[in-house]
Amino acid sequence: MVDIVSSEAGIPRPDHPLDQSGSAKWFLPAFGVLVLVGIAYVGYALSQDLAVAKTVPWILLGIALLIALGFEFVNGFHDTANAVATVIYTRSMPAEFAVMWSGAFNFLGVLTSSGAVAFGILSLLPVELILQVGSSSGFAMVFALLVAAILWNLGTWFLGLPASSSHTMVGSIIGVGLANQFMAPAGSATSGVDWSQATNVGITLLVSPIIGFFAAAILLYVMKLLVRNPALYEAPKGNTPPPWWIRGLLIFTCTGVSFAHGSNDGQKGMGLIMLILIGVVPTAYALNRTPDINYLEAYKFASVSVETALGKYAKPGVVVADAKAAVQEAVRTRTWNDQTTVALQTYIHNTTAGLQPYASVETVPTDLVSNARNDIYLIGEALKLIDKKQLLPMEAADLKAVTDYHKAVDNATKFIPIWVKVAVALALGLGTMVGWKRIVVTVGEKIGKSHLTYGQGAAAELVAMVTIGMADRLGLPVSTTHVLSSGVAGTMAANGSGLQWATVRNLLLAWVLTLPCSITLAFVLFIIFRQLF
């Protein structure tokens, strides 16, 4: 276990940056007020949403939400602490104020996030489990992947290792998918892991730390060539803060990393909470109940266009007894035949006809909402076999109808209420308050053999800010922990400061073991929970 405060980097205890807080008197009360206001808002907004629900299983909903927010709470131990390590160890900000500052911009990042990462993560889950999220298998899926992620994150935090929450979550999802295939009855077609999507996410998670290491090292070299100010590359002297322009640069990069972290990492919890809400209270959350009637009208128009386009490729004489079952089979096996084309065309027609009498989602009967969402989601997954997998060759104009349909589906089904974002932001902040020191010490003292300099801190955080921000725009999850930790290591190597190889070895070990361990944990837990639910 890592000591909360150490002096391996040659920092005398009286001058240790974690001891120079100066803001403890107002820090906790201010944060406490913020948490109370946030909880009150979340409770009020949730009660308003649930007013349309016929029945609410309060105990199940409460437990599920607590576990989901618990994941984000533990996420705060790891990732948010990385953003403040550089400003604390360069004495650009007092420790508690830095944490408060970072939490505020994490909050803003969460609130302004697009949701693309949230639903990108969910796309890794088996389709039938998403469609059955309100069933026993759906609850087993949610609880297994959340508990597995929490257990691994807590274990690595206890050892002071900056492990990746993104890495852990992806591993847990893969474990659930494999367990779902393992438990399927013999001869049944069951979708497990979408390995093409998992590969894209995995490559992003594996490559981003390498990019962080070399990009930060190169940036530090460039800074030395262009900015020839010796103060930038020297360790802080005593308790004196850095020159104003260096301090501004470091605070800017800390702010950027915090904002990008909230925007990217916060979305994982959002996606899981939405999955829980859809499963537990589908009448309130299965479809986007916005006052804007254009969402449903746009969906109807897009459905008719796709139905017309599919008609061009439907072979005459093909008869399908059960259109929905045929579409489900195609999605599970990721295959296509002549019956699939006719079945999908019929399924789209029937789904649109069922929604035709209603002008907006607000007017759709509550009994129809859950089934309508599942139908829309399944159609969207089937169409991905056309535009993503190219299993049905189409002309460009017809493919455009398919992509327009995806946009309409996203507006109708992929939404995140503001209160969910607020709840996730509060959970991240609370986690940071409780566990930030352990990971901060590892990043600030135990990666390099010498004290972190101003230039090193700025280079590492600037690279992390840009990398995470770009990944967020592309809808890809990356690890704030790995990008920033590897960036610090890259600057230490570039500066000739030397690396503490024991720490680097442990970081690499956590990086390598996170996927297989989280996969195994989720696999076992899914099997156990399937017997309990």
Side-chain angles (χ1 to χ4, degrees), residues 17-55:
L18 296 184
D19 294 335
Q20 309 299 319
S21 57
S23 56
K25 292 182 179 179
W26 60 268
F27 172 65
L28 290 178
F31 186 76
V33 170
L34 178 64
V35 169
L36 290 175
V37 171
I39 290 174
Y41 168 74
V42 168
Y44 172 77
L46 179 60
S47 65
Q48 293 295 108
D49 285 351
L50 296 181
V52 300
K54 287 186 175 180
T55 58

Short mmCIF file of all heavy atoms in Angstrom, two decimals, residues 17-55:
data_model
loop_
_atom_site.label_atom_id
_atom_site.label_comp_id
_atom_site.label_asym_id
_atom_site.label_seq_id
_atom_site.Cartn_x
_atom_site.Cartn_y
_atom_site.Cartn_z
N PRO A 17 3.84 19.80 -0.41
CA PRO A 17 2.72 20.56 -0.96
C PRO A 17 1.36 20.14 -0.42
O PRO A 17 0.42 20.94 -0.41
CB PRO A 17 2.81 20.28 -2.48
CG PRO A 17 3.67 19.06 -2.61
CD PRO A 17 4.62 19.11 -1.46
N LEU A 18 1.21 18.90 0.02
CA LEU A 18 -0.07 18.47 0.57
C LEU A 18 -0.34 19.07 1.94
O LEU A 18 -1.47 19.03 2.42
CB LEU A 18 -0.12 16.94 0.66
CG LEU A 18 -0.07 16.18 -0.66
CD1 LEU A 18 -0.23 14.69 -0.42
CD2 LEU A 18 -1.12 16.67 -1.63
N ASP A 19 0.69 19.63 2.57
CA ASP A 19 0.52 20.26 3.87
C ASP A 19 0.21 21.75 3.76
O ASP A 19 -0.10 22.40 4.75
CB ASP A 19 1.78 20.09 4.73
CG ASP A 19 2.03 18.63 5.08
OD1 ASP A 19 1.04 17.87 5.08
OD2 ASP A 19 3.19 18.26 5.32
N GLN A 20 0.35 22.30 2.56
CA GLN A 20 0.16 23.74 2.37
C GLN A 20 -1.23 23.99 1.79
O GLN A 20 -1.38 24.39 0.66
CB GLN A 20 1.24 24.29 1.42
CG GLN A 20 2.67 23.89 1.79
CD GLN A 20 3.06 24.41 3.15
OE1 GLN A 20 2.73 25.54 3.51
NE2 GLN A 20 3.78 23.60 3.93
N SER A 21 -2.24 23.71 2.56
CA SER A 21 -3.60 23.82 2.04
C SER A 21 -4.13 25.25 2.11
O SER A 21 -4.43 25.87 1.11
CB SER A 21 -4.53 22.89 2.79
OG SER A 21 -4.50 23.18 4.18
N GLY A 22 -4.23 25.79 3.31
CA GLY A 22 -4.64 27.17 3.47
C GLY A 22 -6.10 27.46 3.22
O GLY A 22 -6.53 28.59 3.26
N SER A 23 -6.93 26.43 2.94
CA SER A 23 -8.33 26.71 2.63
C SER A 23 -9.28 25.71 3.29
O SER A 23 -10.42 25.58 2.91
CB SER A 23 -8.55 26.68 1.12
OG SER A 23 -8.12 25.44 0.58
N ALA A 24 -8.78 24.97 4.27
CA ALA A 24 -9.58 23.88 4.85
C ALA A 24 -10.81 24.41 5.58
O ALA A 24 -11.81 23.70 5.68
CB ALA A 24 -8.71 23.07 5.80
N LYS A 25 -10.80 25.64 6.10
CA LYS A 25 -11.89 26.15 6.91
C LYS A 25 -13.18 26.27 6.11
O LYS A 25 -14.26 25.98 6.61
CB LYS A 25 -11.52 27.51 7.52
CG LYS A 25 -10.43 27.40 8.58
CD LYS A 25 -10.14 28.77 9.19
CE LYS A 25 -9.06 28.66 10.28
NZ LYS A 25 -8.74 29.98 10.88
N TRP A 26 -13.07 26.73 4.87
CA TRP A 26 -14.28 26.94 4.08
C TRP A 26 -14.52 25.84 3.05
O TRP A 26 -15.61 25.71 2.49
CB TRP A 26 -14.23 28.26 3.34
CG TRP A 26 -13.07 28.38 2.39
CD1 TRP A 26 -11.84 28.90 2.64
CD2 TRP A 26 -13.04 27.94 1.03
NE1 TRP A 26 -11.03 28.81 1.54
CE2 TRP A 26 -11.75 28.23 0.52
CE3 TRP A 26 -13.96 27.34 0.18
CZ2 TRP A 26 -11.37 27.93 -0.78
CZ3 TRP A 26 -13.59 27.04 -1.12
CH2 TRP A 26 -12.31 27.35 -1.59
N PHE A 27 -13.49 25.01 2.83
CA PHE A 27 -13.55 24.04 1.75
C PHE A 27 -14.66 23.01 1.93
O PHE A 27 -15.56 22.87 1.10
CB PHE A 27 -12.19 23.34 1.64
CG PHE A 27 -12.16 22.18 0.69
CD1 PHE A 27 -12.35 22.37 -0.66
CD2 PHE A 27 -11.96 20.89 1.16
CE1 PHE A 27 -12.32 21.31 -1.54
CE2 PHE A 27 -11.93 19.83 0.30
CZ PHE A 27 -12.11 20.03 -1.06
N LEU A 28 -14.64 22.28 3.05
CA LEU A 28 -15.63 21.23 3.27
C LEU A 28 -17.05 21.78 3.43
O LEU A 28 -17.99 21.22 2.87
CB LEU A 28 -15.23 20.38 4.48
CG LEU A 28 -14.00 19.48 4.25
CD1 LEU A 28 -13.66 18.73 5.54
CD2 LEU A 28 -14.24 18.50 3.12
N PRO A 29 -17.26 22.88 4.20
CA PRO A 29 -18.62 23.42 4.29
C PRO A 29 -19.18 23.84 2.94
O PRO A 29 -20.35 23.58 2.64
CB PRO A 29 -18.45 24.63 5.22
CG PRO A 29 -17.25 24.31 6.03
CD PRO A 29 -16.33 23.57 5.14
N ALA A 30 -18.34 24.48 2.10
CA ALA A 30 -18.81 24.91 0.79
C ALA A 30 -19.20 23.72 -0.07
O ALA A 30 -20.24 23.71 -0.75
CB ALA A 30 -17.72 25.73 0.09
N PHE A 31 -18.36 22.69 -0.04
CA PHE A 31 -18.67 21.51 -0.84
C PHE A 31 -19.91 20.81 -0.29
O PHE A 31 -20.72 20.29 -1.06
CB PHE A 31 -17.48 20.55 -0.85
CG PHE A 31 -17.66 19.38 -1.78
CD1 PHE A 31 -17.52 19.54 -3.15
CD2 PHE A 31 -17.99 18.13 -1.28
CE1 PHE A 31 -17.71 18.47 -4.01
CE2 PHE A 31 -18.18 17.05 -2.14
CZ PHE A 31 -18.03 17.23 -3.51
N GLY A 32 -20.06 20.80 1.04
CA GLY A 32 -21.23 20.18 1.64
C GLY A 32 -22.53 20.85 1.19
O GLY A 32 -23.52 20.18 0.90
N VAL A 33 -22.51 22.18 1.14
CA VAL A 33 -23.69 22.92 0.68
C VAL A 33 -24.01 22.56 -0.77
O VAL A 33 -25.17 22.33 -1.15
CB VAL A 33 -23.47 24.44 0.82
CG1 VAL A 33 -24.58 25.22 0.13
CG2 VAL A 33 -23.39 24.82 2.30
N LEU A 34 -22.96 22.49 -1.61
CA LEU A 34 -23.15 22.14 -3.01
C LEU A 34 -23.77 20.75 -3.16
O LEU A 34 -24.69 20.54 -3.96
CB LEU A 34 -21.80 22.19 -3.74
CG LEU A 34 -21.81 21.80 -5.22
CD1 LEU A 34 -22.64 22.79 -6.02
CD2 LEU A 34 -20.39 21.74 -5.76
N VAL A 35 -23.29 19.80 -2.36
CA VAL A 35 -23.82 18.43 -2.43
C VAL A 35 -25.28 18.40 -2.01
O VAL A 35 -26.12 17.75 -2.66
CB VAL A 35 -22.98 17.48 -1.54
CG1 VAL A 35 -23.68 16.13 -1.39
CG2 VAL A 35 -21.60 17.29 -2.13
N LEU A 36 -25.63 19.11 -0.94
CA LEU A 36 -27.01 19.13 -0.46
C LEU A 36 -27.95 19.74 -1.49
O LEU A 36 -29.05 19.22 -1.75
CB LEU A 36 -27.11 19.90 0.86
CG LEU A 36 -26.48 19.21 2.08
CD1 LEU A 36 -26.54 20.14 3.30
CD2 LEU A 36 -27.18 17.89 2.38
N VAL A 37 -27.52 20.83 -2.11
CA VAL A 37 -28.33 21.46 -3.16
C VAL A 37 -28.50 20.50 -4.34
O VAL A 37 -29.60 20.35 -4.90
CB VAL A 37 -27.70 22.78 -3.63
CG1 VAL A 37 -28.42 23.33 -4.86
CG2 VAL A 37 -27.73 23.81 -2.51
N GLY A 38 -27.41 19.83 -4.72
CA GLY A 38 -27.47 18.89 -5.83
C GLY A 38 -28.39 17.71 -5.55
O GLY A 38 -29.18 17.31 -6.41
N ILE A 39 -28.32 17.17 -4.33
CA ILE A 39 -29.18 16.04 -3.96
C ILE A 39 -30.64 16.46 -3.98
O ILE A 39 -31.52 15.71 -4.45
CB ILE A 39 -28.78 15.50 -2.58
CG1 ILE A 39 -27.41 14.81 -2.65
CG2 ILE A 39 -29.83 14.53 -2.05
CD1 ILE A 39 -26.88 14.37 -1.31
N ALA A 40 -30.92 17.66 -3.49
CA ALA A 40 -32.29 18.16 -3.48
C ALA A 40 -32.82 18.29 -4.91
O ALA A 40 -33.97 17.90 -5.21
CB ALA A 40 -32.36 19.50 -2.76
N TYR A 41 -31.98 18.82 -5.80
CA TYR A 41 -32.40 18.96 -7.20
C TYR A 41 -32.64 17.61 -7.85
O TYR A 41 -33.64 17.41 -8.55
CB TYR A 41 -31.35 19.74 -7.99
CG TYR A 41 -31.59 19.67 -9.49
CD1 TYR A 41 -32.62 20.38 -10.08
CD2 TYR A 41 -30.80 18.84 -10.29
CE1 TYR A 41 -32.86 20.29 -11.44
CE2 TYR A 41 -31.03 18.74 -11.64
CZ TYR A 41 -32.06 19.47 -12.22
OH TYR A 41 -32.30 19.37 -13.56
N VAL A 42 -31.71 16.68 -7.64
CA VAL A 42 -31.84 15.34 -8.23
C VAL A 42 -33.12 14.67 -7.75
O VAL A 42 -33.87 14.08 -8.54
CB VAL A 42 -30.61 14.47 -7.89
CG1 VAL A 42 -30.86 13.01 -8.25
CG2 VAL A 42 -29.37 14.99 -8.63
N GLY A 43 -33.39 14.75 -6.43
CA GLY A 43 -34.60 14.15 -5.88
C GLY A 43 -35.86 14.75 -6.48
O GLY A 43 -36.81 14.03 -6.83
N TYR A 44 -35.88 16.08 -6.61
CA TYR A 44 -37.06 16.75 -7.17
C TYR A 44 -37.27 16.36 -8.64
O TYR A 44 -38.38 16.02 -9.06
CB TYR A 44 -36.89 18.26 -7.05
CG TYR A 44 -37.96 19.05 -7.78
CD1 TYR A 44 -39.24 19.18 -7.23
CD2 TYR A 44 -37.70 19.63 -9.02
CE1 TYR A 44 -40.23 19.89 -7.90
CE2 TYR A 44 -38.68 20.34 -9.69
CZ TYR A 44 -39.95 20.46 -9.13
OH TYR A 44 -40.93 21.15 -9.80
N ALA A 45 -36.18 16.41 -9.44
CA ALA A 45 -36.29 16.10 -10.87
C ALA A 45 -36.71 14.65 -11.09
O ALA A 45 -37.53 14.36 -11.97
CB ALA A 45 -34.96 16.39 -11.56
N LEU A 46 -36.16 13.73 -10.27
CA LEU A 46 -36.52 12.32 -10.41
C LEU A 46 -37.99 12.10 -10.08
O LEU A 46 -38.69 11.35 -10.78
CB LEU A 46 -35.64 11.47 -9.48
CG LEU A 46 -35.90 9.96 -9.46
CD1 LEU A 46 -35.70 9.36 -10.85
CD2 LEU A 46 -34.97 9.27 -8.46
N SER A 47 -38.47 12.75 -9.04
CA SER A 47 -39.89 12.60 -8.67
C SER A 47 -40.80 13.13 -9.77
O SER A 47 -41.87 12.57 -10.03
CB SER A 47 -40.17 13.32 -7.35
OG SER A 47 -39.98 14.72 -7.49
N GLN A 48 -40.41 14.21 -10.42
CA GLN A 48 -41.20 14.77 -11.53
C GLN A 48 -41.26 13.79 -12.70
O GLN A 48 -42.30 13.60 -13.32
CB GLN A 48 -40.61 16.10 -11.98
CG GLN A 48 -40.72 17.22 -10.95
CD GLN A 48 -42.16 17.61 -10.68
OE1 GLN A 48 -42.70 17.31 -9.62
NE2 GLN A 48 -42.80 18.25 -11.64
N ASP A 49 -40.10 13.18 -13.01
CA ASP A 49 -40.06 12.22 -14.12
C ASP A 49 -40.92 11.00 -13.83
O ASP A 49 -41.59 10.46 -14.72
CB ASP A 49 -38.62 11.76 -14.38
CG ASP A 49 -37.79 12.82 -15.08
OD1 ASP A 49 -38.37 13.84 -15.53
OD2 ASP A 49 -36.57 12.63 -15.20
N LEU A 50 -40.89 10.53 -12.59
CA LEU A 50 -41.59 9.31 -12.23
C LEU A 50 -43.10 9.52 -12.06
O LEU A 50 -43.84 8.56 -11.84
CB LEU A 50 -41.02 8.73 -10.94
CG LEU A 50 -39.56 8.26 -11.02
CD1 LEU A 50 -39.12 7.69 -9.69
CD2 LEU A 50 -39.39 7.21 -12.12
N ALA A 51 -43.55 10.76 -12.19
CA ALA A 51 -44.98 11.04 -12.05
C ALA A 51 -45.79 10.36 -13.15
O ALA A 51 -46.98 10.07 -12.96
CB ALA A 51 -45.22 12.55 -12.08
N VAL A 52 -45.14 10.08 -14.30
CA VAL A 52 -45.87 9.45 -15.40
C VAL A 52 -45.87 7.92 -15.29
O VAL A 52 -46.56 7.24 -16.03
CB VAL A 52 -45.26 9.86 -16.76
CG1 VAL A 52 -45.33 11.36 -16.95
CG2 VAL A 52 -43.83 9.35 -16.89
N ALA A 53 -45.07 7.38 -14.37
CA ALA A 53 -44.96 5.93 -14.24
C ALA A 53 -46.14 5.38 -13.44
O ALA A 53 -46.56 5.96 -12.44
CB ALA A 53 -43.65 5.56 -13.56
N LYS A 54 -46.65 4.22 -13.88
CA LYS A 54 -47.77 3.59 -13.17
C LYS A 54 -47.31 3.05 -11.82
O LYS A 54 -47.93 3.28 -10.78
CB LYS A 54 -48.37 2.48 -14.02
CG LYS A 54 -49.17 2.98 -15.21
CD LYS A 54 -49.85 1.81 -15.92
CE LYS A 54 -50.77 2.32 -17.03
NZ LYS A 54 -51.45 1.20 -17.74
N THR A 55 -46.26 2.25 -11.84
CA THR A 55 -45.70 1.70 -10.60
C THR A 55 -44.19 1.87 -10.63
O THR A 55 -43.56 1.83 -11.69
CB THR A 55 -46.03 0.20 -10.46
OG1 THR A 55 -45.51 -0.51 -11.59
CG2 THR A 55 -47.53 -0.02 -10.36
#
